[in-house]
Amino acid sequence: MTHTPAEATSIGRAHRELFDAGLAVRRDVLGDDYVDAALRAAAGSDGEPLQQYVSETVWGSVWTRPGLERRERSLMTLAMLVTLNQPRELTAHVRAGLRNGLTRKEIVEAVVHATAYAGIPAGVAAMRVVQEALVAELGPLDRPESPAAAGRPGGAGMPLPGRTVGLIGLGAMGSPIARNFLAAGQPLVVRDADLAAQGRFVRDNPDAVGAEDTAAFTECDVVVLVLPNSDIVDNVVLSEGGLLSHLRPGSVIVDMGSSVPARTRRLAEAAARRGVAVVDAPVSGGVARAAKADLAVMVGGDGTAVEGVQPLLEATGSRIIRVGPVGSGHAAKALNNLLAANGLVAAAEALVVGRKFGIDAATLLSVINAGSGRNQATETKYENFVLSRTFDSGFAAVLMRKDIGIALDLARDMDVATPLGQTLGRIWNSAVEELAPSADQTEVVRHLEELAGVLLETGSGESSDVSG
């Protein structure tokens, strides 16, 4: 059938409207980060038309139909993903289902229901993925009430009673940290450069008030920063009309991001001239532990200032470690990540060699974790994010490169030779240059697999050659 030009234009407009509507629903359900990553991965490739089709048809045509609420569609989607054995999609839709109003019990029941049709092996594999996602979002099912929970409205009280607290930076780590503060009963003034993300956070958390600009923090006694790097921190705090120009003497800035220690000290000196204290309190543990208020917090700063904000830090961290004067926390965080990155790469080298020899990667990983070679990467990252091929630990490779660089710069400033660190830095730089800008830290293993010509797939016990 041939369409007239007017009909073709009308049909094209209808497709575009469905695509736009579907993309908006897709973003609202799955989150901007997840959708943007999918679109970027397909851009300019053979998969791009499929991404357009999914947004237009699945999300635009189906999810916008009347008759079923989003929570009902979420349950149906979860059941379908169990039968299709799609762990990465299943993880994303567990998070989406919780946002759409599903309860933990309803999600688990959807998996049980689907298992009756998909079979026990598929159900067991799906339940493992679902449990990990639920624990990351909600904490363990049998977890006793945490100190943070005891401080919820109606509980024993808030961390900093009588003090006004602000938070700037609602990204992957900032959002769960902010939710922990709110769960502990501490109202917040919040700000993010992404106003849409800020709006969603305020909508979902009634005790949070959105700020139009840094002037909105004038009445704050404590302002927490969860920002990507020192450049952004300095711009937010020290620029003309920035945060420091609005804070009153006696206020405290708490930098929970990964900043350069020397620049943190310079920031503290500038703040001190206005009577404002700076505490650096970077964290370790990733998004999953942040969601459970189970972070390790490394704290640097004046003793009085640290003591004044410690109850707030305890609302998001299970271990608060005082490291030393201001800047010490950021130094400790960078050095910790240097070691963590070394563990990830060293394990990759061992597993790749074993794979080429013909040892199943999961089997060799079990040997390592039962022996003296184990480290945090082998015990958590490899099974959950590498061998599963999900590569979604929640921490970007480019951010780890930044932390490695901070640690190596610190070593040079201290006139300490770091031959292993320098080699790691070169490996990590090469990997980041080859990977997508949004790549997870665990995707560095992909780069090492490509260099070796194998994949760390499991099950066959034989080398999987990718050299072509």
Side-chain angles (χ1 to χ4, degrees):
M1 178 179 178
T2 302
H3 297 289
T4 66
E7 288 173 333
T9 299
S10 177
I11 292 170
R13 186 183 303 113
H15 281 296
R16 167 51 66 179
E17 289 173 354
L18 273 177
F19 174 83
D20 289 342
L23 188 60
V25 174
R26 190 179 179 188
R27 288 183 180 282
D28 195 40
V29 172
L30 296 177
D32 289 336
D33 291 344
Y34 184 88
V35 175
D36 286 341
L39 295 177
R40 279 196 301 270
S45 74
D46 296 327
E48 187 169 16
L50 181 60
Q51 284 293 323
Q52 295 171 345
Y53 174 81
V54 167
S55 290
E56 178 183 331
T57 305
V58 176
W59 296 98
S61 240
V62 175
W63 275 71
T64 60
R65 287 174 59 85
L68 291 176
E69 297 179 358
R70 282 191 184 178
R71 63 188 313 279
E72 294 165 334
R73 294 191 187 279
S74 281
L75 278 174
M76 295 172 67
T77 300
L78 288 169
M80 287 188 290
L81 291 172
V82 172
T83 63
L84 294 171
N85 189 25
Q86 294 293 316
R88 182 177 175 85
E89 293 289 320
L90 190 57
T91 299
H93 278 274
V94 168
R95 297 170 184 153
L98 291 170
R99 286 196 295 270
N100 286 336
L102 294 182
T103 66
R104 186 180 207 141
K105 184 176 181 180
E106 287 172 331
I107 291 173
V108 169
E109 284 302 313
V111 177
V112 173
H113 184 87
T115 300
Y117 296 89
I120 298 295
V124 170
M127 187 63 80
R128 185 180 300 116
V129 173
V130 168
Q131 280 183 298
E132 290 175 356
L134 288 172
V135 167
E137 295 294 316
L138 304 176
L141 181 62
D142 58 353
R143 183 175 109 188
E145 187 176 48
S146 67
R152 290 186 179 116
M158 65 181 67
L160 302 181
R163 302 173 75 185
T164 303
V165 178
L167 184 142
I168 301 176
L170 295 169
M173 290 298 290
S175 289
I177 287 172
R179 284 194 290 269
N180 290 336
F181 294 161
L182 292 166
Q186 188 73 56
L188 292 176
V189 180
V190 297
R191 172 73 177 166
D192 193 88
D194 183 344
L195 295 181
Q198 176 179 313
R200 287 193 297 272
F201 186 89
V202 171
R203 182 190 65 212
D204 295 339
N205 298 276
D207 289 329
V209 177
E212 293 186 3
D213 51 36
T214 52
F217 296 89
T218 300
E219 299 302 317
C220 286
D221 303 288
V222 176
V223 179
V224 176
L225 310 178
V226 193
L227 299 170
N229 55 54
S230 287
D231 286 343
I232 295 175
V233 169
D234 285 353
N235 183 59
V236 168
V237 178
L238 299 176
S239 63
E240 184 177 354
L243 179 65
L244 190 56
S245 66
H246 299 290
L247 293 180
R248 300 168 301 190
S251 303
V252 181
I253 296 171
V254 182
D255 184 358
M256 297 190 74
S258 297
S259 298
V260 178
R263 294 180 65 173
T264 300
R265 289 186 171 179
R266 290 198 292 271
L267 176 69
E269 291 168 359
R273 290 193 287 270
R274 297 184 63 93
V276 175
V278 171
V279 170
D280 53 313
V283 301
S284 180
V287 175
R289 284 178 58 187
K292 296 184 286 184
D294 188 31
L295 294 168
V297 187
M298 299 143 257
V299 189
D302 173 77
T304 302
V306 171
E307 289 169 8
V309 299
Q310 181 155 335
L312 186 67
L313 300 179
E314 289 172 347
T316 197
S318 58
R319 292 195 65 193
I320 312 299
I321 305 167
R322 296 196 188 187
V323 184
V326 68
S328 300
H330 283 145
K333 169 64 185 293
L335 293 169
N336 174 76
N337 276 6
L338 176 70
L339 189 58
N342 259 311
L344 182 69
V345 170
E349 290 184 349
L351 290 168
V352 163
V353 172
R355 191 76 177 100
K356 273 222 162 182
F357 187 74
I359 303 175
D360 178 69
T363 301
L364 182 53
L365 186 65
S366 297
V367 171
I368 292 169
N369 284 334
S372 58
R374 66 187 182 276
N375 61 37
Q376 192 266 352
T378 66
E379 291 182 327
T380 61
K381 293 186 176 73
Y382 273 86
E383 181 176 357
N384 293 332
F385 310 120
V386 177
L387 300 190
S388 69
R389 314 308 286 177
T390 59
F391 297 105
D392 58 353
S393 73
F395 188 63
V398 68
L399 293 180
M400 180 63 91
R401 177 170 70 171
K402 179 203 68 175
D403 287 351
I404 292 169
I406 291 173
L408 295 179
D409 287 344
L410 180 63
R412 280 190 289 270
D413 291 343
M414 298 298 103
D415 196 25
V416 175
T418 52
L420 284 177
Q422 295 297 327
T423 301
L424 173 73
R426 289 192 293 272
I427 293 171
W428 208 277
N429 278 331
S430 297
V432 169
E433 293 303 319
E434 294 294 326
L435 296 168
S438 61
D440 186 81
Q441 60 167 331
T442 54
E443 291 190 67
V444 170
V445 180
R446 287 189 194 269
H447 174 70
L448 298 174
E449 288 175 329
E450 290 176 5
L451 292 178
V454 297
L455 293 177
L456 296 179
E457 296 175 336
T458 63
S460 67
E462 299 179 354
S463 176
S464 178
D465 195 329
V466 296
S467 61

